């Protein structure tokens, strides 16, 4: 099969299969790899298939009262994570990947490393979450010290830092703020490690809490980020500041977004509304 068959298949996915744009792109890239790398055929230079449209959907935004209802329906570490998600405007994966060294109580900020687009940024540190997070880290440190005594305690380091800094993988600062309860084998190194909490389990806990709170909206960890931005706009912060805190590059690509380069400490987190 050649160009015509490939075009017909990809068009079929869009017209009759009604697949999402990402699904069609996955099929396109799989075929591209097969033809170029395996069959060594130059077919895709002239492929002109009908492409699936990427839908433009409005984000799911919770009211402040709904956010608090969900938080109050949760407990333990999951509740703390949701407070950080909403209070800091983090993506779910950014939150579970937080390292101890990037939570700065003295400078009153949280540093997001290697966010979307491989960018670092600084966001606010809500006053309400500090005492709970401080106690949580004290507990996590005890777990880490126990792991070290038992011959474990290492953590995955990005960008080959493990080879550059031999002992960094066991240092307290590099540990995850929200580590998993169990060990798992790192497929990259074969080492038995304590990874961070899985995002899928967090999302399941959030959905369960939403049902308990009687909220029918289809939400995930990302809904708290949308709500964070929307509520800051409601509180009168300009869109450029919000864009800065979210780590967005372009105002035209998002629905709410960032402001003046004032940093996380110049803005009061929406999570702190309960203290007003």
């Amino acid at each position: 099969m050649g160009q015509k068959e490939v075009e017909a298949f990809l068009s079929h996915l869009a017209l009759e299969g009604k697949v999402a744009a990402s699904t069609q792109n996955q099929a396109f890239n799989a075929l591209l790899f097969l033809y170029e790398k395996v069959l060594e055929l130059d077919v895709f230079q002239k492929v002109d298939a009908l492409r699936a449209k990427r839908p433009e959907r409005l984000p799911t935004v919770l009211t402040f009262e709904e956010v608090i209802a969900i938080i109050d329906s949760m407990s333990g570490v999951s509740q703390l994570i949701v407070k950080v998600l909403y209070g800091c405007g983090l993506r779910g994966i950014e939150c579970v990947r937080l390292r101890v060294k990037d939570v700065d109580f003295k400078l009153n900020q949280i540093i997001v490393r290697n966010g979307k687009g491989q960018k670092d940024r600084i966001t606010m540190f809500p006053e309400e979450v500090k005492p709970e997070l401080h106690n949580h880290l004290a507990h996590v440190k005890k777990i880490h010290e126990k792991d070290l005594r038992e011959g474990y305690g290492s953590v995955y380091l990005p960008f080959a830092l493990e080879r550059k800094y031999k002992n960094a993988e066991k240092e307290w600062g590099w540990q995850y703020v929200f580590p998993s309860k169990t060990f798992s084998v790192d497929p990259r190194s074969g080492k038995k490690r304590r990874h961070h909490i899985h995002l899928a389990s967090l999302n399941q806990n959030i959905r369960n809490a939403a049902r308990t709170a009687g909220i029918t909206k289809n939400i995930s960890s990302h809904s708290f980020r949308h709500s964070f931005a929307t509520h800051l706009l409601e509180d009168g912060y300009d869109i450029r500041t919000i864009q800065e805190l979210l780590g967005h590059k372009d105002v035209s690509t998002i629905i709410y977004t960032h402001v003046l380069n004032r940093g996380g400490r110049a803005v009061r987190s929406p999570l702190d509304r309960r203290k007003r």
Side-chain angles (χ1 to χ4, degrees), residues 86-102:
Y86 174 63
C88 306
L90 302 185
R91 297 178 178 90
I93 195 64
E94 292 172 344
C95 188
V96 297
R97 285 178 177 172
L98 276 178
R99 311 271 184 162
V100 172
K101 66 183 181 62
D102 295 324

Side-chain angles (χ1 to χ4, degrees), residues 6-253:
V6 170
E7 288 179 353
F9 173 67
L10 293 173
S11 297
H12 166 79
L13 289 177
L15 288 173
E16 298 178 38
K18 300 187 185 302
V19 300
S22 58
T23 302
Q24 190 194 42
N25 286 335
Q26 186 178 39
F28 178 90
N29 289 322
L31 289 169
L32 177 65
F33 180 85
L34 171 66
Y35 276 79
E36 288 191 351
K37 304 299 182 182
V38 180
L39 302 177
E40 296 183 351
L41 296 175
D42 186 12
V43 170
F44 280 77
Q45 294 295 328
K46 299 179 180 179
V47 166
D48 185 25
L50 183 68
R51 305 306 297 271
K53 291 184 178 179
R54 189 175 297 276
E56 294 183 9
R57 292 193 169 91
L58 291 174
T60 299
V61 176
L62 299 162
T63 66
F64 176 74
E65 291 72 24
E66 287 173 332
V67 170
I68 299 305
I70 292 173
I71 289 175
D72 289 344
S73 297
M74 304 180 79
S75 61
V77 177
S78 293
Q79 184 190 62
L80 177 58
I81 293 176
V82 170
K83 286 182 178 180
V84 174
L85 285 172
Y86 174 63
C88 306
L90 302 185
R91 297 178 178 90
I93 195 64
E94 292 172 344
C95 188
V96 297
R97 285 178 177 172
L98 276 178
R99 311 271 184 162
V100 172
K101 66 183 181 62
D102 295 324
V103 178
D104 198 323
F105 287 85
K106 292 183 179 179
L107 289 181
N108 195 35
Q109 65 186 22
I110 290 177
I111 303 174
V112 179
R113 304 284 186 185
N114 197 31
K116 193 172 183 180
Q118 295 187 330
K119 295 182 296 183
D120 294 353
R121 73 178 188 278
I122 294 173
T123 189
M124 64 189 64
F125 195 166
E127 291 294 329
E128 182 169 320
V129 84
K130 284 181 180 179
E132 191 175 349
L133 190 56
H134 185 273
N135 293 336
H136 168 76
L137 288 175
H139 175 67
V140 172
K141 189 171 186 179
K142 290 180 181 178
I143 294 174
H144 175 58
E145 290 170 349
K146 180 176 179 291
D147 290 345
L148 288 174
R149 288 195 298 269
E150 295 176 354
Y152 301 108
S154 67
V155 71
Y156 165 74
L157 299 184
F159 310 120
L161 290 176
E162 187 176 339
R163 293 197 300 269
K164 187 175 182 181
Y165 304 108
K166 298 298 183 182
N167 298 319
E169 62 178 10
K170 293 187 177 183
E171 290 178 2
W172 167 235
W174 280 102
Q175 303 305 304
Y176 290 115
V177 173
F178 302 110
S180 172
K181 292 181 180 179
T182 59
F183 290 105
S184 59
V185 177
D186 189 336
R188 291 160 293 205
S189 64
K191 293 183 178 181
K192 191 175 181 181
R193 288 170 162 162
R194 194 182 295 276
H195 203 52
H196 59 67
I197 286 177
H198 202 286
L199 187 57
S201 63
L202 172 63
N203 281 322
Q204 186 59 54
N205 290 337
I206 289 171
R207 286 190 286 268
N208 292 340
R211 281 195 294 270
T212 301
I215 296 169
T216 57
K217 294 176 181 177
N218 184 24
I219 67 169
S220 67
S221 59
H222 209 67
S223 303
F224 296 98
R225 178 173 162 87
H226 294 317
S227 303
F228 165 87
T230 303
H231 297 167
L232 283 181
L233 280 177
E234 290 175 353
D235 285 348
Y237 295 106
D238 64 90
I239 203 163
R240 287 288 178 186
T241 296
I242 304 169
Q243 182 183 5
E244 190 78 19
L245 294 171
L246 292 177
H248 281 154
K249 194 189 301 184
D250 187 353
V251 169
S252 66
T253 63

